[in-house]
Amino acid sequence: MKSLISFAVLLFAAVSHAISSSGDRLLVVLEDVAEKETYSKFLGDLEGRGFQINYETPKSEGLSLFHLGERSYDHVLFLPTKSKGLGPNLTPKLLLDFINADGNILLALSASQSAPTSLVSLLLELDIHLPPDRQGLVVDHFNYDVSSAAEKHDVLLLPAPGSLRPDVKDFFSPAVEGGLIAFPNGMGQTLGAGALLAPVLRAPPTAYSYNPKEQGETLDDVFASGAQLSLVTTVQARNSARFTVVGSADLLSDKWFDAKVKKVGEKKEVSTVNREFAKRVAGWTFKETGVLRVNWIEHHLNEPGQSNASNPKIYRIKNDVTYSISLSEYSWDKYIPFTVPESDDLQLEFSMLSPFHRLQLTPTISSADSTTYSTSFKLPDQHGIFNFKVNYKRPFYSNVEEKNTVSVRHFAHDEWPRSFVISGAWPWIAGIVATVTGWLGFCAIWLYSKPATGKESKKTQ
Amino acid sequence: MAPKKSAAAPTSTATSAAAPAPTTAAPASSTIAKPTSSSGQSFDKVALNIVQHYQKTTPQRTKIIDVFMAFLVLVGGLQFAYCVLAGNYPFNAFLSGFSATVGQFVLTASLRIQTTEANKSDFPSVSPERAFTDYVVGSLILHFFCVNFIN
């Protein structure tokens, strides 16, 4: 059955041109369907990558994320809407259910339109906080675009974000060297301490967020400033469903794709890399990149002269065992061999409640679309029910948590080394031999010796 | 212990053994009564006296038993000393080797008790032949267990 499904998936992947690893049905929610012209390049790119796009407004009657308990769409893109709420079809609970059902959401905010309450509640649920009154504008007096925002300083020009940590792969930086990302008219977010949150683009140290309606003249209470402000935030749920908040919807608009900008203090005009950045953010969110697949897992006995059948149910303590796992990574339109980022490790745990071994897996076999990682080790001197566990959860990579349960039995009574094999036991073997031969000799002498004369004399008496 | 035993022996057992007993006992008690004389000499005499008494009064078979028990103590002591000096791995080998000698010692001691003339009244139904048969069976079971356990 499993092979049949994977065959079908392979066939599907081969036939379709270039598509997300988790489906191609995309719902775009916007204020007015005519508004899609503003984002025609971005949406055109998505269509060109194979997405089937449906456009809906929050008010439309037939809008439903689920049909008969199944998802109607694989991905949802929210563009800014004017309405305060999103209506009964897009409540926070429905959106959470959508995430729980492996649906992906890309949310674009804007400073000019306050965020719908439904989405604010959803963001709070995910520990992402928006400015009070659902309104805020990010400005930076040191990194703005001179040509378009000389007065308001609300078009931020940012370099490519780079990787989050040295051991995390960089999925979002455009390949163009020295390109600037224009972040116009955006709303920043602050993040809680949730482990599932990962910021992609942080504000520069001189940026801050304020409410242009209330704090137009004096600024006494700043919502957040500097790197506290996350401009593009991602959440990857435990089921690897993805949720991304882009602080500025204008970042995705045609106007800022390949626009010419001039950073304050610099003479040369450069073109923005928004198109490439938007493609990477959307591609990651809609599971076109950073998706890991476990092809197969195999473990066997690694001892000379013993059966090396695959995946036995039972091992013995102190057996030598080899474990292998084959991994692929989805990259835009095909699976490629997964390579662990430098300074990161893929590890195998051999655990019963707690790990008895935590071992580094090293690449052994590499094919066109997969890499096999394996390790060999000696099972611990402890019998019980154990798991081979690979728990690889990293920012931006989909979660890998694989558990294979095996029993580990103790030595059978005839599997111990015989005492005469162990030289340390020879004195005690000699002791038994001496006792037994001594006893035999004693018995012989006892039987040979006549009963004492005393007995005879006693009998006569 | 020894003087008490020797004192008890002549009263209860054979007349042949009783005759020399008082003659040897008398000088021993007389030497002990003089504390001023050289004590080393007196201890020598006591020991010699005990040995002589043992050699004269003990039946042949009991002597064999005693020799065998001394042999077992020696073998057991050597095994224990080896365990202390060289470590107890493999432990089952130490256990079976050492307990073979200890068990054999206990069984032999039982045989000695059952076949001593002085204890005859305690075991009215156990003849020496019966005691020896029990001893052989018990020893065989012991050896079987020990050889099995040493693996």
Side-chain angles (χ1 to χ4, degrees):
Chain A
M1 192 61 200
K2 224 171 196 175
S3 62
L4 204 71
I5 290 170
S6 61
F7 177 70
V9 167
L10 272 176
L11 198 73
F12 188 62
V15 166
S16 64
H17 151 242
I19 209 167
S20 156
S21 66
S22 72
D24 60 350
R25 296 169 299 171
L26 171 62
L27 170 70
V28 178
V29 178
L30 29 59
E31 179 63 31
D32 186 357
V33 175
E35 248 179 43
K36 73 182 184 186
E37 293 312 315
T38 322
Y39 307 97
S40 63
K41 281 182 182 169
F42 176 63
L43 297 171
D45 282 353
L46 285 174
E47 240 162 14
R49 297 209 299 274
F51 286 100
Q52 310 291 319
I53 305 182
N54 280 38
Y55 298 93
E56 297 280 4
T57 66
K59 288 164 206 149
S60 96
E61 292 280 312
L63 173 60
S64 171
L65 293 178
F66 291 92
H67 179 63
L68 303 177
E70 289 289 319
R71 272 189 288 114
S72 316
Y73 302 98
D74 302 306
H75 318 285
V76 177
L77 166 60
F78 282 103
L79 292 169
T81 52
K82 287 201 179 71
S83 48
K84 192 169 177 246
L86 287 179
N89 295 326
L90 295 167
T91 60
K93 182 174 183 313
L94 275 173
L95 293 172
L96 265 189
D97 287 346
F98 185 72
I99 293 175
N100 285 334
D102 294 339
N104 307 306
I105 298 179
L106 176 59
L107 167 62
L109 299 170
S110 175
S112 51
Q113 278 151 346
S114 57
T117 47
S118 164
L119 293 174
V120 173
S121 312
L122 175 66
L123 290 175
L124 276 178
E125 198 87 29
L126 301 170
D127 216 2
I128 300 171
H129 304 268
L130 292 186
D133 297 334
R134 304 175 285 127
Q135 268 203 319
L137 178 67
V138 180
V139 294
D140 187 340
H141 305 305
F142 298 89
N143 294 301
Y144 62 91
D145 177 26
V146 179
S147 48
S148 66
E151 282 286 310
K152 291 180 76 181
H153 301 177
D154 61 351
V155 178
L156 274 63
L157 295 181
L158 308 160
S163 62
L164 180 66
R165 292 198 311 251
D167 59 339
V168 171
K169 187 177 168 182
D170 181 11
F171 286 101
F172 303 101
S173 293
V176 190
E177 273 293 314
L180 289 173
I181 299 166
F183 189 83
N185 194 23
M187 190 192 282
Q189 313 104 45
T190 57
L191 309 183
L196 306 175
L197 292 168
V200 169
L201 193 62
R202 286 182 182 280
T206 46
Y208 63 92
S209 170
Y210 78 110
N211 189 336
K213 282 185 185 157
E214 289 180 2
Q215 301 169 319
E217 296 301 314
T218 54
L219 184 66
D220 43 5
D221 189 19
V222 176
F223 166 64
S225 64
Q228 281 180 317
L229 273 174
S230 179
L231 305 179
V232 178
T233 309
T234 63
V235 181
Q236 183 168 244
R238 290 190 199 286
N239 61 359
S240 299
R242 288 166 177 184
F243 181 89
T244 304
V245 188
V246 176
S248 163
D250 292 343
L251 190 153
L252 310 172
S253 66
D254 291 354
K255 186 187 168 194
W256 292 99
F257 274 25
D258 310 316
K260 293 283 176 196
V261 292
K262 198 163 100 178
K263 196 170 170 179
V264 58
E266 292 194 12
K267 295 198 175 85
K268 219 170 53 179
E269 273 200 342
V270 289
S271 53
T272 59
V273 290
N274 280 20
R275 187 172 198 157
E276 189 64 19
F277 182 66
K279 176 194 170 193
R280 283 163 187 266
V281 169
W284 181 85
T285 310
F286 299 151
K287 289 197 175 165
E288 290 173 279
T289 58
V291 176
L292 297 183
R293 183 181 70 179
V294 177
N295 301 308
W296 47 263
I297 288 170
E298 198 264 355
H299 53 88
H300 64 262
L301 209 54
N302 183 27
E303 287 188 12
Q306 302 236 34
S307 142
N308 65 346
S310 282
N311 305 336
K313 290 272 190 296
I314 190 163
Y315 287 110
R316 198 203 65 205
I317 60 169
K318 294 180 178 175
N319 266 157
D320 286 311
V321 166
T322 299
Y323 175 92
S324 307
I325 182 169
S326 169
L327 288 167
S328 298
E329 175 187 350
Y330 195 76
S331 178
W332 297 109
D333 53 357
K334 62 180 186 304
Y335 278 101
I336 59 171
F338 168 64
T339 318
V340 176
E342 269 183 59
S343 73
D344 193 12
D345 285 336
L346 181 65
Q347 291 181 320
L348 167 71
E349 284 176 6
F350 192 68
S351 62
M352 179 168 65
L353 297 181
S354 59
F356 281 60
H357 279 304
R358 190 178 282 134
L359 303 156
Q360 188 172 348
L361 288 160
T362 48
T364 48
I365 314 162
S366 201
S367 72
D369 66 345
S370 70
T371 313
T372 301
Y373 289 84
S374 51
T375 187
S376 297
F377 63 105
K378 192 182 269 294
L379 298 186
D381 188 1
Q382 168 75 51
H383 65 268
I385 310 294
F386 279 86
N387 289 314
F388 288 103
K389 191 171 175 189
V390 172
N391 189 6
Y392 189 74
K393 289 173 182 158
R394 298 291 184 275
F396 308 134
Y397 272 125
S398 61
N399 298 329
V400 174
E401 189 172 7
E402 291 292 334
K403 235 158 90 167
N404 294 63
T405 305
V406 290
S407 303
V408 176
R409 64 175 174 84
H410 44 64
F411 277 95
H413 82 279
D414 61 347
E415 284 177 326
W416 297 94
R418 298 273 174 182
S419 281
F420 51 77
V421 180
I422 306 163
S423 58
W426 291 348
W428 293 309
I429 293 175
I432 288 195
V433 171
T435 307
V436 172
T437 48
W439 175 77
L440 283 173
F442 165 74
C443 288
I445 295 171
W446 171 279
L447 291 172
Y448 179 75
S449 72
K450 284 286 285 176
T453 48
K455 200 179 171 192
E456 291 284 300
S457 60
K458 199 177 178 218
K459 265 189 182 167
T460 52
Q461 282 178 354
Chain B
M1 269 323 261
K4 202 177 179 184
K5 212 173 191 179
S6 63
T11 56
S12 65
T13 56
T15 49
S16 60
T23 54
T24 51
S29 57
S30 64
T31 49
I32 289 163
K34 290 177 189 170
T36 49
S37 68
S38 62
S39 60
Q41 213 179 13
S42 67
F43 278 127
D44 281 356
K45 278 185 184 170
V46 170
L48 190 70
N49 190 17
I50 290 168
V51 170
Q52 280 176 348
H53 179 255
Y54 173 81
Q55 283 178 342
K56 277 181 189 158
T57 56
T58 316
Q60 171 84 20
R61 280 187 160 174
T62 311
K63 280 179 182 164
I64 298 168
I65 288 177
D66 288 341
V67 169
F68 185 50
M69 285 167 77
F71 169 75
L72 289 173
V73 168
L74 178 72
V75 173
L78 284 174
Q79 289 184 69
F80 191 78
Y82 175 77
C83 174
V84 169
L85 293 174
N88 63 7
Y89 176 78
F91 192 53
N92 64 317
F94 162 70
L95 281 181
S96 63
F98 187 64
S99 59
T101 48
V102 171
Q104 193 66 64
F105 184 88
V106 170
L107 288 170
T108 314
S110 318
L111 178 67
R112 192 184 194 280
I113 293 168
Q114 288 189 335
T115 53
T116 305
E117 291 294 331
N119 300 335
K120 193 129 180 86
S121 56
D122 291 338
F123 307 103
S125 63
V126 182
S127 68
E129 291 76 17
R130 169 68 198 274
F132 183 69
T133 315
D134 287 352
Y135 170 71
V136 168
V137 171
S139 299
L140 285 175
I141 291 171
L142 174 72
H143 298 158
F144 174 75
F145 269 87
C146 289
V147 170
N148 216 357
F149 188 63
I150 203 167
N151 192 5

